[in-house]
């Protein structure tokens, strides 16, 4: 059974039997509704919901045009709706959606499982324009209780040097943003501690996945940081990685991912599918899927 959501735009898919879990599915900076992923999860026993959480400028929603000071409370109605289907409440987020998923799980004890694909371990500055339509001055991507969360700014001195692998006969390839994040972590090292996501506060199960060839941001480094900090306080974390995979893994049965801004994402179709295959068994166990 499937329902289209209108406020905000989204989709809710239900399994034919009693749901084994209820999952909020969040996309990254593409802003898309994860229709295929929701359907995949519902086909294996989950109640799954995905919604558009920025960029919808209709009069009904008036969402920010970019990822700028998004209230974490934006996701509360969806979580409350999902909690009515199962007490095993989970969030699956990719990229910026994984950043949100980890923040939500750190502050909501109802969330029993968080699955973060190509995650960040810190809060970053806004991506694209803010509520006023401007990109500067930099602001946080998120707020909580109407207060902007501390964030790591982007180093405006960064220059995309390109790698030979991203250069074509026609000229330079799409931007490689990984080095922007790496440089910004160094430039603004004094701001990183305050911006660090408190993953030690997540008492539910945490499942991470990252490709070693992620060229969008160093999600493999971020994932290891999350793993290390949780281990230091005695909390177990599952981490699935593959050196050759990039930013966008592909779960079994999903079409090849597309959309979003032009940028180098690393990996290859084969490696991204292999990482998705490796993650799938762990994901099904964590969510009690068939």
């Amino acid at each position: 059974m499937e329902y289209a959501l209108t406020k905000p735009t989204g989709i809710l898919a239900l399994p034919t039997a009693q749901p084994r879990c209820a999952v909020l599915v969040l996309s990254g900076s593409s802003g898309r509704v994860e229709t295929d992923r929701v359907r995949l999860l519902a086909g294996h026993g989950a109640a799954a919901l995905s919604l558009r959480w920025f960029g919808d400028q209709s009069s009904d929603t008036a969402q920010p045009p970019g990822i700028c000071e998004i209230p974490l409370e934006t996701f509360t109605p969806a979580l409350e709706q999902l909690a009515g289907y199962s007490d095993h409440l989970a969030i699956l987020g990719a990229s910026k959606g994984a950043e949100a998923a980890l923040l939500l799980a750190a502050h909501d004890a109802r969330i029993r499982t968080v699955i973060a694909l190509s995650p960040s371990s810190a809060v970053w500055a806004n991506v694209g324009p803010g509520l006023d339509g401007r990109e500067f001055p930099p602001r946080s991507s998120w707020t909580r209780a109407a207060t902007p969360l501390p964030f790591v700014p982007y180093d405006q001195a960064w220059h995309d040097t390109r790698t030979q692998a991203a250069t074509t006969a026609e000229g330079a390839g799409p931007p490689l943003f990984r080095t922007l994040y790496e440089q910004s972590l160094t430039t603004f090292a004094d701001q990183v501690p305050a911006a660090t996501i408190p993953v030690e506060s997540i008492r539910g199960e945490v499942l991470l996945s990252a490709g070693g060839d992620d060229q969008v941001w160093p999600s493999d480094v971020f994932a290891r940081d999350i793993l290390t900090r949780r281990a230091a306080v005695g909390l177990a974390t599952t981490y699935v990685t593959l050196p050759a995979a990039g930013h966008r893994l592909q779960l079994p049965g999903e079409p090849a991912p597309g959309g979003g801004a032009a940028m180098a994402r690393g990996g290859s179709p084969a490696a991204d599918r292999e990482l998705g295959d490796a993650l799938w068994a762990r994901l099904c166990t964590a969510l009690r899927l068939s």
Side-chain angles (χ1 to χ4, degrees):
M1 191 177 301
E2 189 173 295
Y3 301 93
L5 309 179
T6 57
K7 297 181 182 181
T9 303
I11 183 173
L12 168 66
L14 301 175
T16 55
Q18 178 67 25
R20 295 168 176 262
C21 62
V23 188
L24 177 60
V25 181
L26 302 179
S27 68
S29 59
S30 69
R32 64 175 172 267
V33 175
E34 295 283 11
T35 301
D36 293 309
R37 189 157 287 175
V38 161
R39 290 171 174 166
L40 173 66
L41 294 171
H44 289 270
L49 186 156
S50 181
L51 52 82
R52 187 170 182 181
W53 47 275
F54 75 95
D56 188 342
Q57 291 294 289
S58 72
S59 59
D60 288 337
T61 57
Q63 293 179 339
I67 304 175
C68 182
E69 296 189 351
I70 303 292
L72 290 175
E73 293 83 0
T74 297
F75 308 106
T76 300
L79 289 170
E80 290 177 347
Q81 182 177 359
L82 286 166
Y85 292 106
S86 173
D87 60 2
H88 189 137
L89 192 59
I91 304 183
L92 189 161
S95 193
K96 285 299 287 189
E99 191 177 312
L102 291 165
L103 285 166
L104 288 164
H107 294 103
D108 191 334
R110 297 176 302 169
I111 298 170
R112 293 174 53 180
T113 304
V114 57
I115 301 167
L117 314 181
S118 302
S120 171
S121 57
V123 171
W124 287 89
N126 56 297
V127 179
L131 294 167
D132 53 10
R134 299 196 303 267
E135 295 197 29
F136 296 99
R139 283 157 285 182
S140 181
S141 290
W142 314 101
T143 69
R144 181 170 179 266
T147 301
L149 299 185
F151 64 94
V152 183
Y154 302 114
D155 188 345
Q156 298 304 311
W158 171 77
H159 175 65
D160 179 9
T161 58
R162 307 282 198 263
T163 64
Q164 182 146 8
T167 302
T168 67
E170 292 77 28
L176 305 173
F177 287 116
R178 180 179 178 116
T179 55
L180 167 63
Y181 287 91
E182 292 171 336
Q183 183 170 318
S184 299
L185 287 169
T186 299
T187 302
F188 300 106
D190 60 328
Q191 298 184 48
V192 172
T196 297
I197 298 172
V199 295
E200 300 90 341
S201 298
I202 302 174
R203 289 298 181 262
E205 185 172 3
V206 176
L207 174 57
L208 308 173
S209 178
D213 191 42
D214 188 341
Q215 296 301 321
V216 174
W217 63 9
S219 61
D220 54 330
V221 175
F222 294 146
R224 288 196 298 272
D225 174 64
I226 294 168
L227 190 73
T228 299
R229 286 192 288 115
R230 283 177 54 82
V233 294
L235 296 173
T237 307
T238 301
Y239 177 34
V240 181
T241 185
L242 185 71
H247 189 70
R248 285 179 169 175
L249 63 76
Q250 184 178 351
L251 294 174
E254 286 186 333
M263 65 180 76
R265 292 181 171 85
S268 68
D272 296 346
R273 285 194 301 270
E274 184 179 350
L275 180 56
D277 289 344
L279 175 69
W280 180 247
R282 300 296 187 99
L283 185 153
C284 288
T285 298
L287 297 180
R288 307 185 300 188
L289 300 182
S290 59

